[in-house]
């Protein structure tokens, strides 16, 4: 039914309950089949905990519904001049850190200027 008039509506019904697996401290954005998770915390470590908890929940949800997650990367935006580190993973796969991610055709640049 790909490309059908009802496809977008059916997909939204299918994924409607994914939000139940998202931490209260994480914002979920969904456009078509692109999903982004956002956490705004003062400490990177705190954001990582919320995001990892959410990733674990979404992974369980995807396994339940027979979906495969195609996540590859994460980005840390910070006002700090220190190198920000974090590690996020889905099952055994560790996500790569990307300082210039692209989402829905918009490229973000994390590089700090002097």
């Amino acid at each position: 039914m790909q490309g059908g008039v009802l496809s977008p509506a059916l997909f939204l019904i299918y994924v409607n309950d994914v939000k139940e697996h998202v931490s209260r401290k994480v914002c979920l954005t969904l456009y078509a089949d692109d999903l982004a998770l956002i956490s705004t915390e003062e400490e990177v470590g705190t954001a990582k905990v919320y995001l990892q908890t959410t990733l674990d929940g979404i992974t369980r949800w995807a396994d339940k519904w027979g979906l495969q997650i195609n996540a590859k990367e994460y980005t840390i935006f910070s006002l700090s001049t220190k190198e920000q580190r974090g590690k996020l993973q889905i099952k055994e796969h560790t996500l790569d850190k990307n300082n210039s991610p692209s989402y829905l055709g918009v490229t973000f640049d994390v590089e700090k200027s002097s």
Side-chain angles (χ1 to χ4, degrees):
M1 197 150 147
Q2 185 175 359
V5 176
L6 289 177
S7 295
L10 292 173
F11 179 76
L12 289 175
I13 292 168
Y14 190 71
V15 300
N16 188 49
D17 64 335
V18 71
K19 64 185 175 287
E20 295 171 15
H21 302 277
V22 177
S23 169
R24 291 178 296 131
K25 296 286 192 162
V26 173
C27 175
L28 176 140
T29 66
L30 182 64
Y31 182 81
D33 64 347
D34 286 330
L35 182 140
L37 301 173
I38 303 164
S39 179
T40 56
E41 293 294 325
E42 213 166 299
E43 298 293 327
V44 171
T46 305
K48 182 218 171 270
V49 170
Y50 291 134
L51 289 167
Q52 188 62 60
T53 301
T54 297
L55 284 172
D56 294 342
I58 289 174
T59 300
R60 286 189 302 275
W61 172 86
D63 288 345
K64 173 184 170 185
W65 291 105
L67 296 174
Q68 183 176 358
I69 297 174
N70 187 21
K72 297 177 182 156
E73 60 193 27
Y74 70 95
T75 303
I76 297 174
F77 295 95
S78 174
L79 295 175
S80 174
T81 57
K82 296 178 187 176
E83 173 67 24
Q84 298 298 315
R85 298 181 189 264
K87 178 181 164 189
L88 295 172
Q89 53 187 100
I90 295 177
K91 295 184 181 180
E92 306 84 37
H93 173 72
T94 300
L95 302 178
D96 295 326
K97 185 176 178 188
N98 181 354
N99 285 334
S100 296
S102 185
Y103 183 65
L104 301 178
V106 176
T107 301
F108 298 89
D109 188 9
V110 180
E111 296 300 320
K112 308 225 185 304
S113 58
S114 314

